[in-house]
Amino acid sequence: MTRTLWDSTVGKKVIMAVSGLVMLLYLVVHMIGNLKIFFGSDEFNGYAHWLRVMGEPFLHHEWALWIVRVVLVAAVVLHAVSAYQLSRRDLRARPITYVHKRPRASYATRTMRYGGIILGLFIVWHILDLTTGTVHSGGFQHGHPYQNVVDTFSTWYGNVIYIVAMLALGLHVQHGFWSVAQTLGAGRASRDRALKTLANVLALVLTVGFISVPVAVMTGVVS
Amino acid sequence: MKLTLRVWRQKNTDAPGAMSTYEVDGISQDMSFLEMLDTLNEELILAGDDPVAFDHDCREGICGACSLVINGDAHGPERTTTCQLHMRSFDDGDTIDIEPWRASAFPVVKDLVVDRSAFDRIIQAGGYISAPTGTAPDAHATPVPKPDADFAFEHAECIGCGACVAACPNGSAMLFTSAKVNHLNVLPQGAPERETRVLDMVEQMDSEGFGGCTLTGECATACPKGIPLPSISAMNKEWLRATRKARR
Protein backbone atom coordinates (compact mmCIF):
# COMPACT_ATOMS: atom_id res chain seq x y z
CA MET A 1 0.00 0.00 0.00
CA THR A 2 2.87 2.38 0.83
CA ARG A 3 4.42 1.67 -2.58
CA THR A 4 1.09 2.21 -4.33
CA LEU A 5 0.77 5.57 -2.57
CA TRP A 6 4.29 6.73 -3.38
CA ASP A 7 4.38 5.46 -6.98
CA SER A 8 1.06 6.92 -8.12
CA THR A 9 0.38 10.56 -8.92
CA VAL A 10 -2.93 10.21 -7.08
CA GLY A 11 -1.20 8.62 -4.06
CA LYS A 12 1.52 11.25 -3.94
CA LYS A 13 -1.15 13.94 -3.88
CA VAL A 14 -2.73 12.10 -0.95
CA ILE A 15 0.62 12.28 0.87
CA MET A 16 0.78 16.01 0.07
CA ALA A 17 -2.79 16.47 1.27
CA VAL A 18 -2.26 14.69 4.61
CA SER A 19 1.11 16.37 5.31
CA GLY A 20 -0.46 19.70 4.35
CA LEU A 21 -3.33 19.14 6.77
CA VAL A 22 -0.84 18.35 9.58
CA MET A 23 0.98 21.62 8.90
CA LEU A 24 -2.29 23.52 8.64
CA LEU A 25 -3.45 22.20 12.02
CA TYR A 26 -0.12 23.27 13.52
CA LEU A 27 -0.45 26.73 11.97
CA VAL A 28 -3.86 27.29 13.55
CA VAL A 29 -2.44 26.35 16.98
CA HIS A 30 0.69 28.47 16.36
CA MET A 31 -1.39 31.48 15.34
CA ILE A 32 -3.59 31.26 18.43
CA GLY A 33 -0.44 30.99 20.58
CA ASN A 34 1.04 34.07 18.92
CA LEU A 35 -2.00 36.15 19.86
CA LYS A 36 -1.02 35.80 23.54
CA ILE A 37 1.56 38.51 22.85
CA PHE A 38 -1.31 41.03 23.14
CA PHE A 39 -1.74 40.08 26.83
CA GLY A 40 1.75 41.10 27.91
CA SER A 41 5.20 39.61 28.24
CA ASP A 42 4.39 37.48 31.33
CA GLU A 43 1.59 35.58 29.63
CA PHE A 44 3.49 35.19 26.34
CA ASN A 45 6.73 34.03 28.01
CA GLY A 46 4.75 31.81 30.36
CA TYR A 47 3.03 30.16 27.41
CA ALA A 48 6.39 29.66 25.68
CA HIS A 49 7.74 28.04 28.84
CA TRP A 50 4.67 25.77 29.09
CA LEU A 51 5.39 24.47 25.56
CA ARG A 52 8.59 22.98 27.00
CA VAL A 53 6.97 21.38 30.07
CA MET A 54 3.83 20.26 28.20
CA GLY A 55 3.05 16.59 28.84
CA GLU A 56 4.98 16.42 32.12
CA PRO A 57 5.18 14.44 34.28
CA PHE A 58 4.09 11.69 31.84
CA LEU A 59 6.64 12.89 29.29
CA HIS A 60 10.14 14.05 30.11
CA HIS A 61 11.03 17.77 29.81
CA GLU A 62 10.65 19.00 26.19
CA TRP A 63 9.68 15.55 24.87
CA ALA A 64 6.27 16.70 23.68
CA LEU A 65 7.88 19.69 21.95
CA TRP A 66 10.36 17.41 20.20
CA ILE A 67 7.62 15.03 19.10
CA VAL A 68 5.81 17.97 17.51
CA ARG A 69 9.05 19.08 15.84
CA VAL A 70 9.78 15.62 14.42
CA VAL A 71 6.22 15.27 13.06
CA LEU A 72 6.45 18.74 11.50
CA VAL A 73 9.83 18.10 9.87
CA ALA A 74 8.48 14.81 8.47
CA ALA A 75 5.43 16.64 7.11
CA VAL A 76 7.53 19.40 5.53
CA VAL A 77 9.93 16.90 3.92
CA LEU A 78 7.14 14.65 2.57
CA HIS A 79 5.20 17.67 1.29
CA ALA A 80 8.22 19.23 -0.40
CA VAL A 81 9.60 16.02 -1.94
CA SER A 82 6.16 15.06 -3.30
CA ALA A 83 5.66 18.57 -4.67
CA TYR A 84 9.07 18.53 -6.32
CA GLN A 85 8.56 15.12 -7.93
CA LEU A 86 5.03 15.90 -9.11
CA SER A 87 6.10 19.30 -10.48
CA ARG A 88 8.96 17.70 -12.42
CA ARG A 89 6.46 15.25 -13.89
CA ASP A 90 3.94 17.99 -14.69
CA LEU A 91 6.54 20.06 -16.55
CA ARG A 92 7.65 17.01 -18.54
CA ALA A 93 4.04 16.26 -19.47
CA ARG A 94 3.67 19.67 -21.17
CA PRO A 95 7.08 20.33 -22.77
CA ILE A 96 5.77 22.69 -25.48
CA THR A 97 3.64 25.62 -24.40
CA TYR A 98 0.93 27.23 -26.52
CA VAL A 99 1.89 30.11 -28.76
CA HIS A 100 -1.40 31.85 -27.94
CA LYS A 101 -1.08 32.53 -24.22
CA ARG A 102 -3.79 33.42 -21.76
CA PRO A 103 -3.83 33.45 -17.96
CA ARG A 104 -4.86 30.06 -16.65
CA ALA A 105 -6.60 29.39 -13.31
CA SER A 106 -6.70 31.73 -10.32
CA TYR A 107 -3.70 33.63 -8.91
CA ALA A 108 -3.58 31.39 -5.83
CA THR A 109 -3.56 28.27 -8.01
CA ARG A 110 -0.85 29.51 -10.35
CA THR A 111 1.45 30.55 -7.50
CA MET A 112 1.33 27.31 -5.48
CA ARG A 113 4.84 26.24 -6.51
CA TYR A 114 6.55 29.62 -6.04
CA GLY A 115 4.55 30.21 -2.88
CA GLY A 116 5.70 26.86 -1.51
CA ILE A 117 9.35 27.74 -2.16
CA ILE A 118 8.89 31.14 -0.47
CA LEU A 119 7.33 29.44 2.56
CA GLY A 120 10.14 26.85 2.71
CA LEU A 121 12.79 29.59 2.75
CA PHE A 122 10.77 31.56 5.28
CA ILE A 123 10.62 28.58 7.67
CA VAL A 124 14.43 28.32 7.59
CA TRP A 125 14.83 32.04 8.36
CA HIS A 126 12.07 31.96 10.98
CA ILE A 127 13.74 29.11 12.92
CA LEU A 128 17.21 30.68 12.67
CA ASP A 129 15.72 33.99 13.84
CA LEU A 130 13.39 33.09 16.70
CA THR A 131 14.22 29.49 17.73
CA THR A 132 18.02 29.27 17.54
CA GLY A 133 18.67 33.02 17.37
CA THR A 134 21.47 32.48 14.83
CA VAL A 135 20.44 35.35 12.56
CA HIS A 136 18.56 37.32 15.22
CA SER A 137 19.00 41.08 15.23
CA GLY A 138 20.41 42.30 18.50
CA GLY A 139 21.03 40.02 21.45
CA PHE A 140 18.90 36.86 21.30
CA GLN A 141 17.75 35.86 24.78
CA HIS A 142 16.71 32.25 25.39
CA GLY A 143 13.55 32.11 27.46
CA HIS A 144 12.50 35.65 26.57
CA PRO A 145 10.51 35.21 23.35
CA TYR A 146 8.49 38.39 23.93
CA GLN A 147 11.60 40.57 23.73
CA ASN A 148 12.96 38.55 20.78
CA VAL A 149 9.73 39.02 18.80
CA VAL A 150 9.76 42.76 19.47
CA ASP A 151 13.43 42.90 18.34
CA THR A 152 12.70 41.09 15.07
CA PHE A 153 9.76 43.29 14.18
CA SER A 154 11.71 46.43 15.04
CA THR A 155 13.79 45.89 11.88
CA TRP A 156 12.38 46.78 8.47
CA TYR A 157 13.56 43.54 6.84
CA GLY A 158 12.07 41.41 9.61
CA ASN A 159 8.67 42.94 8.91
CA VAL A 160 9.02 42.67 5.11
CA ILE A 161 10.09 39.00 5.14
CA TYR A 162 7.37 38.06 7.61
CA ILE A 163 4.50 39.90 5.97
CA VAL A 164 5.39 38.72 2.43
CA ALA A 165 5.63 35.13 3.70
CA MET A 166 2.26 35.37 5.48
CA LEU A 167 0.58 36.69 2.32
CA ALA A 168 2.11 33.74 0.44
CA LEU A 169 0.78 31.49 3.21
CA GLY A 170 -2.74 32.84 2.78
CA LEU A 171 -2.69 32.17 -0.96
CA HIS A 172 -1.19 28.71 -0.42
CA VAL A 173 -3.84 27.75 2.15
CA GLN A 174 -6.67 29.15 0.02
CA HIS A 175 -6.01 26.76 -2.86
CA GLY A 176 -4.36 24.11 -0.68
CA PHE A 177 -7.20 23.46 1.75
CA TRP A 178 -9.80 23.12 -1.01
CA SER A 179 -7.40 20.83 -2.90
CA VAL A 180 -6.96 18.64 0.17
CA ALA A 181 -10.71 18.00 0.19
CA GLN A 182 -10.65 17.10 -3.51
CA THR A 183 -7.60 14.85 -3.19
CA LEU A 184 -8.99 12.95 -0.21
CA GLY A 185 -12.23 12.36 -2.09
CA ALA A 186 -14.44 14.73 -0.11
CA GLY A 187 -15.22 17.02 -3.04
CA ARG A 188 -18.83 17.13 -4.25
CA ALA A 189 -20.63 19.65 -6.41
CA SER A 190 -23.14 20.16 -3.56
CA ARG A 191 -20.51 21.10 -0.97
CA ASP A 192 -18.09 22.94 -3.27
CA ARG A 193 -19.26 26.37 -2.12
CA ALA A 194 -18.93 25.39 1.55
CA LEU A 195 -15.40 24.02 0.99
CA LYS A 196 -14.28 27.14 -0.90
CA THR A 197 -15.74 29.40 1.80
CA LEU A 198 -13.99 27.42 4.54
CA ALA A 199 -10.69 27.63 2.60
CA ASN A 200 -11.09 31.41 2.21
CA VAL A 201 -11.93 31.87 5.89
CA LEU A 202 -8.97 29.74 7.02
CA ALA A 203 -6.60 31.61 4.71
CA LEU A 204 -7.87 35.01 5.87
CA VAL A 205 -7.89 34.18 9.60
CA LEU A 206 -4.36 32.73 9.47
CA THR A 207 -2.94 35.63 7.45
CA VAL A 208 -4.59 38.35 9.55
CA GLY A 209 -3.77 36.54 12.80
CA PHE A 210 -0.09 36.17 11.99
CA ILE A 211 0.35 39.65 10.47
CA SER A 212 -1.33 41.29 13.46
CA VAL A 213 1.85 40.70 15.52
CA PRO A 214 4.36 42.66 13.36
CA VAL A 215 1.71 45.35 12.80
CA ALA A 216 1.23 45.64 16.57
CA VAL A 217 4.99 45.99 17.12
CA MET A 218 5.28 48.58 14.33
CA THR A 219 2.41 50.65 15.71
CA GLY A 220 3.70 50.38 19.27
CA VAL A 221 0.75 48.36 20.60
CA VAL A 222 3.27 45.70 21.61
CA SER A 223 6.64 46.96 22.80
CA MET B 1 -15.65 37.47 -43.53
CA LYS B 2 -11.93 37.89 -44.11
CA LEU B 3 -9.66 36.21 -41.58
CA THR B 4 -5.98 35.81 -40.85
CA LEU B 5 -5.12 32.30 -39.64
CA ARG B 6 -1.93 31.40 -37.85
CA VAL B 7 -1.73 27.60 -38.06
CA TRP B 8 0.79 25.16 -36.56
CA ARG B 9 2.48 23.29 -39.43
CA GLN B 10 4.63 20.24 -38.71
CA LYS B 11 5.60 17.60 -41.30
CA ASN B 12 5.80 14.66 -38.89
CA THR B 13 6.42 13.76 -35.25
CA ASP B 14 10.17 14.28 -35.44
CA ALA B 15 10.28 17.37 -37.68
CA PRO B 16 10.33 20.80 -36.04
CA GLY B 17 7.10 22.78 -36.43
CA ALA B 18 6.20 26.46 -36.67
CA MET B 19 3.21 28.75 -37.00
CA SER B 20 2.36 29.66 -40.63
CA THR B 21 0.13 32.57 -41.57
CA TYR B 22 -2.70 32.29 -44.13
CA GLU B 23 -5.40 34.69 -45.32
CA VAL B 24 -8.88 33.35 -46.06
CA ASP B 25 -11.70 35.36 -47.62
CA GLY B 26 -15.39 34.77 -48.30
CA ILE B 27 -16.03 32.96 -45.01
CA SER B 28 -19.72 32.81 -44.06
CA GLN B 29 -20.78 33.28 -40.42
CA ASP B 30 -22.87 30.10 -40.78
CA MET B 31 -19.86 27.93 -41.59
CA SER B 32 -18.53 25.63 -38.91
CA PHE B 33 -14.90 26.11 -37.90
CA LEU B 34 -13.95 22.92 -39.77
CA GLU B 35 -15.74 24.11 -42.94
CA MET B 36 -13.66 27.28 -42.70
CA LEU B 37 -10.52 25.07 -42.59
CA ASP B 38 -11.91 23.06 -45.55
CA THR B 39 -12.09 26.33 -47.47
CA LEU B 40 -8.48 27.09 -46.60
CA ASN B 41 -7.40 23.59 -47.66
CA GLU B 42 -9.19 23.84 -51.02
CA GLU B 43 -7.24 27.03 -51.71
CA LEU B 44 -3.98 25.39 -50.59
CA ILE B 45 -4.60 22.36 -52.84
CA LEU B 46 -5.42 24.62 -55.84
CA ALA B 47 -2.19 26.51 -55.21
CA GLY B 48 -0.30 23.21 -55.11
CA ASP B 49 0.46 23.45 -51.39
CA ASP B 50 0.16 20.78 -48.71
CA PRO B 51 -3.30 21.04 -47.05
CA VAL B 52 -3.48 21.49 -43.27
CA ALA B 53 -4.00 18.10 -41.59
CA PHE B 54 -6.64 18.09 -38.83
CA ASP B 55 -8.76 15.37 -37.18
CA HIS B 56 -12.52 15.27 -37.81
CA ASP B 57 -15.18 12.62 -38.25
CA CYS B 58 -18.87 12.93 -37.35
CA ARG B 59 -18.98 16.74 -37.34
CA GLU B 60 -21.99 16.40 -35.00
CA GLY B 61 -20.14 16.88 -31.71
CA ILE B 62 -20.46 13.26 -30.58
CA CYS B 63 -17.42 11.33 -31.83
CA GLY B 64 -14.56 13.19 -30.13
CA ALA B 65 -12.30 13.27 -33.18
CA CYS B 66 -11.90 17.00 -33.66
CA SER B 67 -9.23 18.61 -31.57
CA LEU B 68 -7.95 22.14 -32.05
CA VAL B 69 -6.66 24.73 -29.62
CA ILE B 70 -8.16 27.93 -30.97
CA ASN B 71 -6.79 31.20 -29.57
CA GLY B 72 -5.46 29.29 -26.56
CA ASP B 73 -8.75 27.51 -25.80
CA ALA B 74 -9.31 23.79 -26.44
CA HIS B 75 -12.22 23.62 -28.93
CA GLY B 76 -12.28 27.43 -29.12
CA PRO B 77 -14.35 30.10 -27.35
CA GLU B 78 -17.68 28.22 -27.12
CA ARG B 79 -18.32 25.30 -24.78
CA THR B 80 -18.67 22.72 -27.54
CA THR B 81 -16.54 20.69 -29.92
CA THR B 82 -14.61 22.40 -32.71
CA CYS B 83 -16.96 20.91 -35.33
CA GLN B 84 -19.93 22.55 -33.60
CA LEU B 85 -18.15 25.90 -33.28
CA HIS B 86 -19.41 28.35 -35.88
CA MET B 87 -17.72 31.33 -37.47
CA ARG B 88 -20.32 33.69 -35.96
CA SER B 89 -18.22 33.39 -32.79
CA PHE B 90 -15.54 35.43 -34.62
CA ASP B 91 -15.47 38.88 -36.20
CA ASP B 92 -14.46 39.98 -39.68
CA GLY B 93 -10.74 40.76 -39.77
CA ASP B 94 -9.87 38.57 -36.75
CA THR B 95 -6.54 36.82 -36.44
CA ILE B 96 -7.08 33.25 -35.21
CA ASP B 97 -4.31 31.08 -33.73
CA ILE B 98 -4.81 27.34 -34.34
CA GLU B 99 -2.57 24.85 -32.50
CA PRO B 100 -2.65 21.11 -31.81
CA TRP B 101 -3.34 19.56 -28.37
CA ARG B 102 -0.11 19.99 -26.42
CA ALA B 103 0.99 17.12 -24.17
CA SER B 104 3.96 14.77 -24.28
CA ALA B 105 1.48 11.87 -24.09
CA PHE B 106 -0.17 13.21 -27.28
CA PRO B 107 2.67 13.47 -29.83
CA VAL B 108 1.93 15.48 -32.98
CA VAL B 109 1.47 13.19 -36.00
CA LYS B 110 1.18 15.98 -38.57
CA ASP B 111 0.17 19.65 -38.35
CA LEU B 112 -2.87 19.68 -36.02
CA VAL B 113 -3.29 15.89 -35.72
CA VAL B 114 -2.08 14.30 -32.47
CA ASP B 115 -1.83 10.64 -31.48
CA ARG B 116 -4.41 10.03 -28.75
CA SER B 117 -3.94 6.26 -28.48
CA ALA B 118 -2.77 6.78 -24.88
CA PHE B 119 -6.49 7.20 -24.08
CA ASP B 120 -7.26 3.86 -25.75
CA ARG B 121 -4.67 2.14 -23.58
CA ILE B 122 -6.21 3.71 -20.45
CA ILE B 123 -9.59 2.29 -21.52
CA GLN B 124 -8.01 -1.11 -22.21
CA ALA B 125 -6.60 -1.12 -18.68
CA GLY B 126 -10.07 -1.15 -17.11
CA GLY B 127 -12.72 0.83 -18.97
CA TYR B 128 -14.91 -2.21 -19.60
CA ILE B 129 -17.21 -4.62 -17.76
CA SER B 130 -17.17 -8.41 -17.72
CA ALA B 131 -20.55 -9.43 -19.17
CA PRO B 132 -21.83 -12.82 -20.28
CA THR B 133 -22.34 -13.07 -24.02
CA GLY B 134 -25.64 -14.13 -25.51
CA THR B 135 -28.91 -12.32 -25.86
CA ALA B 136 -29.13 -8.89 -24.32
CA PRO B 137 -30.52 -9.02 -20.77
CA ASP B 138 -33.85 -7.33 -20.04
CA ALA B 139 -33.39 -3.65 -19.35
CA HIS B 140 -35.03 -4.00 -15.93
CA ALA B 141 -33.14 -7.17 -14.95
CA THR B 142 -30.61 -5.21 -12.89
CA PRO B 143 -32.23 -2.31 -11.00
CA VAL B 144 -30.14 0.88 -10.86
CA PRO B 145 -31.13 3.67 -8.44
CA LYS B 146 -32.05 6.84 -10.32
CA PRO B 147 -29.30 9.04 -8.78
CA ASP B 148 -26.68 6.41 -9.69
CA ALA B 149 -28.01 6.18 -13.24
CA ASP B 150 -27.84 9.98 -13.55
CA PHE B 151 -24.29 10.02 -12.15
CA ALA B 152 -23.19 7.29 -14.58
CA PHE B 153 -24.86 9.04 -17.50
CA GLU B 154 -23.22 12.36 -16.69
CA HIS B 155 -19.80 10.69 -16.89
CA ALA B 156 -20.68 8.48 -19.86
CA GLU B 157 -21.03 11.70 -21.85
CA CYS B 158 -17.23 11.88 -22.16
CA ILE B 159 -16.31 11.47 -25.83
CA GLY B 160 -12.58 11.10 -25.16
CA CYS B 161 -11.56 14.08 -27.27
CA GLY B 162 -8.67 15.02 -24.97
CA ALA B 163 -9.59 18.69 -24.48
CA CYS B 164 -9.05 18.19 -20.73
CA VAL B 165 -5.41 17.19 -21.33
CA ALA B 166 -4.92 20.03 -23.82
CA ALA B 167 -6.30 22.62 -21.40
CA CYS B 168 -4.47 21.36 -18.30
CA PRO B 169 -1.21 23.23 -17.61
CA ASN B 170 0.20 19.87 -16.42
CA GLY B 171 -1.07 17.83 -19.39
CA SER B 172 -3.03 15.69 -16.91
CA ALA B 173 -5.62 13.11 -17.97
CA MET B 174 -7.39 13.00 -14.61
CA LEU B 175 -10.74 14.31 -15.87
CA PHE B 176 -10.89 11.78 -18.73
CA THR B 177 -9.88 8.87 -16.50
CA SER B 178 -12.26 9.94 -13.74
CA ALA B 179 -15.17 10.16 -16.20
CA LYS B 180 -14.53 6.58 -17.36
CA VAL B 181 -13.94 5.21 -13.84
CA ASN B 182 -16.99 6.92 -12.31
CA HIS B 183 -19.25 5.93 -15.19
CA LEU B 184 -18.69 2.20 -14.61
CA ASN B 185 -17.86 2.12 -10.88
CA VAL B 186 -21.24 3.48 -9.78
CA LEU B 187 -23.23 0.86 -11.73
CA PRO B 188 -23.95 -2.72 -10.55
CA GLN B 189 -22.66 -3.98 -13.92
CA GLY B 190 -19.26 -2.44 -13.13
CA ALA B 191 -19.08 -3.70 -9.54
CA PRO B 192 -16.96 -6.88 -10.08
CA GLU B 193 -13.99 -4.82 -11.37
CA ARG B 194 -14.64 -1.80 -9.15
CA GLU B 195 -11.25 -1.89 -7.38
CA THR B 196 -9.02 -3.20 -10.16
CA ARG B 197 -10.55 -0.75 -12.65
CA VAL B 198 -9.54 2.41 -10.82
CA LEU B 199 -6.12 1.10 -9.79
CA ASP B 200 -5.23 -0.19 -13.26
CA MET B 201 -6.56 2.82 -15.15
CA VAL B 202 -4.72 5.30 -12.90
CA GLU B 203 -1.54 3.23 -13.21
CA GLN B 204 -1.85 3.22 -17.02
CA MET B 205 -2.58 6.95 -17.00
CA ASP B 206 0.63 7.57 -15.03
CA SER B 207 2.73 5.29 -17.25
CA GLU B 208 1.58 7.17 -20.38
CA GLY B 209 3.39 10.27 -19.13
CA PHE B 210 0.40 12.46 -18.32
CA GLY B 211 1.01 15.01 -15.57
CA GLY B 212 -0.60 15.04 -12.13
CA CYS B 213 -3.66 17.01 -11.05
CA THR B 214 -3.13 20.38 -9.35
CA LEU B 215 -6.86 21.17 -9.41
CA THR B 216 -6.60 24.24 -11.59
CA GLY B 217 -10.04 23.40 -13.00
CA GLU B 218 -8.99 24.18 -16.59
CA CYS B 219 -10.08 20.70 -17.75
CA ALA B 220 -13.69 21.02 -16.63
CA THR B 221 -13.89 24.51 -18.15
CA ALA B 222 -12.70 23.20 -21.51
CA CYS B 223 -14.73 19.97 -21.56
CA PRO B 224 -17.29 20.17 -24.40
CA LYS B 225 -19.48 17.62 -22.59
CA GLY B 226 -19.43 19.36 -19.21
CA ILE B 227 -17.77 16.59 -17.17
CA PRO B 228 -17.64 18.36 -13.78
CA LEU B 229 -14.45 18.95 -11.77
CA PRO B 230 -15.70 17.03 -8.68
CA SER B 231 -15.45 13.89 -10.86
CA ILE B 232 -11.74 13.92 -10.07
CA SER B 233 -12.49 13.93 -6.35
CA ALA B 234 -14.94 11.05 -6.83
CA MET B 235 -12.22 9.05 -8.59
CA ASN B 236 -9.70 9.86 -5.84
CA LYS B 237 -12.23 8.46 -3.36
CA GLU B 238 -12.56 5.26 -5.42
CA TRP B 239 -8.77 5.00 -5.70
CA LEU B 240 -8.28 5.38 -1.93
CA ARG B 241 -11.02 2.83 -1.27
CA ALA B 242 -9.40 0.34 -3.67
CA THR B 243 -5.95 0.96 -2.20
CA ARG B 244 -7.26 0.28 1.30
CA LYS B 245 -8.77 -2.99 0.11
CA ALA B 246 -5.47 -3.69 -1.71
CA ARG B 247 -7.11 -5.81 -4.39
CA ARG B 248 -5.15 -6.05 -7.59
Side-chain angles (χ1 to χ4, degrees), chain A residues 128-144:
Chain A
L128 291 177
D129 180 35
L130 287 172
T131 306
T132 65
T134 317
V135 297
H136 190 71
S137 55
F140 182 80
Q141 298 167 284
H142 282 281
H144 295 89

Side-chain angles (χ1 to χ4, degrees), chain A residues 91-165:
Chain A
L91 295 173
R92 271 202 309 273
R94 168 61 66 70
I96 305 172
T97 54
Y98 291 107
V99 174
H100 191 106
K101 300 226 181 337
R102 63 170 183 79
R104 287 181 187 277
S106 69
Y107 186 76
T109 311
R110 276 183 281 135
T111 53
M112 285 303 272
R113 286 174 191 147
Y114 305 114
I117 293 168
I118 289 174
L119 289 173
L121 293 173
F122 167 76
I123 292 169
V124 172
W125 173 79
H126 192 53
I127 290 172
L128 291 177
D129 180 35
L130 287 172
T131 306
T132 65
T134 317
V135 297
H136 190 71
S137 55
F140 182 80
Q141 298 167 284
H142 282 281
H144 295 89
Y146 186 92
Q147 187 56 44
N148 295 333
V149 168
V150 171
D151 287 347
T152 289
F153 294 132
S154 300
T155 60
W156 66 269
Y157 59 86
N159 286 312
V160 169
I161 295 173
Y162 195 86
I163 290 171
V164 166

Side-chain angles (χ1 to χ4, degrees), chain A residues 100, chain B residues 2-6 21 71 90-91 93-97:
Chain A
H100 191 106
Chain B
K2 190 171 190 290
L3 298 166
T4 305
L5 304 177
R6 297 204 303 154
T21 307
N71 285 342
F90 300 91
D91 294 320
D94 274 0
T95 298
I96 305 173
D97 289 334

Side-chain angles (χ1 to χ4, degrees), chain B residues 123-197:
Chain B
I123 294 290
Q124 282 164 13
Y128 54 82
I129 60 163
S130 298
T133 55
T135 50
D138 288 335
H140 62 295
T142 312
V144 179
K146 174 73 168 138
D148 291 355
D150 288 345
F151 184 82
F153 221 161
E154 189 177 21
H155 291 94
E157 277 193 69
C158 170
I159 53 176
C161 64
C164 44
V165 176
C168 176
N170 310 322
S172 172
M174 285 284 276
L175 194 70
F176 166 78
T177 311
S178 70
K180 299 304 176 189
V181 166
N182 293 335
H183 162 207
L184 296 176
N185 269 23
V186 73
L187 293 173
Q189 288 87 345
E193 298 95 352
R194 185 171 169 186
E195 289 84 23
T196 50
R197 175 177 299 115

Side-chain angles (χ1 to χ4, degrees), chain A residues 1 4-14 86 89-106 109-110 112-113 175 178-190 192 196, chain B residues 6 8 19 69 71-73 97 99-105 165-171 174 199 202 205-216 218 229-230 232-237 239-240 243-244 248:
Chain A
M1 183 171 158
T4 322
L5 274 175
W6 191 250
D7 288 343
S8 162
T9 53
V10 175
K12 215 164 263 180
K13 280 284 291 202
V14 169
L86 285 169
R89 185 191 173 88
D90 294 347
L91 295 173
R92 271 202 309 273
R94 168 61 66 70
I96 305 172
T97 54
Y98 291 107
V99 174
H100 191 106
K101 300 226 181 337
R102 63 170 183 79
R104 287 181 187 277
S106 69
T109 311
R110 276 183 281 135
M112 285 303 272
R113 286 174 191 147
H175 181 68
W178 177 79
S179 294
V180 164
Q182 308 301 315
T183 303
L184 297 182
R188 308 256 190 303
S190 54
D192 202 49
K196 282 202 164 121
Chain B
R6 297 204 303 154
W8 182 263
M19 298 294 271
V69 172
N71 285 342
D73 288 318
D97 289 334
E99 298 173 72
W101 281 178
R102 291 287 186 207
S104 56
V165 176
C168 176
N170 310 322
M174 285 284 276
L199 293 174
V202 166
M205 175 187 84
D206 283 347
S207 71
E208 294 291 346
F210 290 106
C213 179
T214 52
L215 292 152
T216 64
E218 290 291 327
L229 189 60
I232 290 176
S233 192
M235 179 173 76
N236 289 338
K237 194 178 173 189
W239 189 90
L240 281 167
T243 306
R244 275 199 308 275
R248 298 284 332 239

